[in-house]
Amino acid sequence: MSVMRHASVPGSAQPGLEGYRPVQTIPATQRVLDSGDLFTAGREVLIQHAEEFYRLRLTRKGKLILTK
């Protein structure tokens, strides 16, 4: 079983789906994290991977930037 994810798209022509289109199919076994849950305390989170730290930042325009 898969889950269909959607994203906002201005000017969608499908009735009842104005502003949405399929983005990708995600396997039901795949863990999905909502970005709103990650950024509850601010606009940046640190992610530790092995011995390295990465910074995930939410921009003013709602984009995500991952830096080492």
Side-chain angles (χ1 to χ4, degrees):
M1 179 174 184
S2 297
V3 176
M4 187 67 87
R5 303 290 289 177
H6 293 83
S8 179
V9 176
S12 175
Q14 292 184 351
L17 293 177
E18 291 82 8
Y20 292 93
R21 67 170 169 80
V23 174
Q24 71 185 82
T25 300
I26 299 172
T29 57
Q30 183 69 45
R31 184 174 178 196
V32 177
L33 300 174
D34 188 278
S35 63
D37 295 336
L38 295 174
F39 296 107
T40 56
R43 301 187 70 82
E44 290 186 355
V45 295
L46 288 178
I47 301 169
Q48 183 176 2
H49 178 66
E51 300 298 319
E52 302 288 332
F53 284 92
Y54 295 81
R55 184 178 314 272
L56 183 63
R57 186 167 52 100
L58 181 63
T59 68
R60 282 181 274 164
K61 292 186 176 185
K63 304 291 182 178
L64 297 175
I65 298 175
L66 180 66
T67 55
K68 189 170 182 181

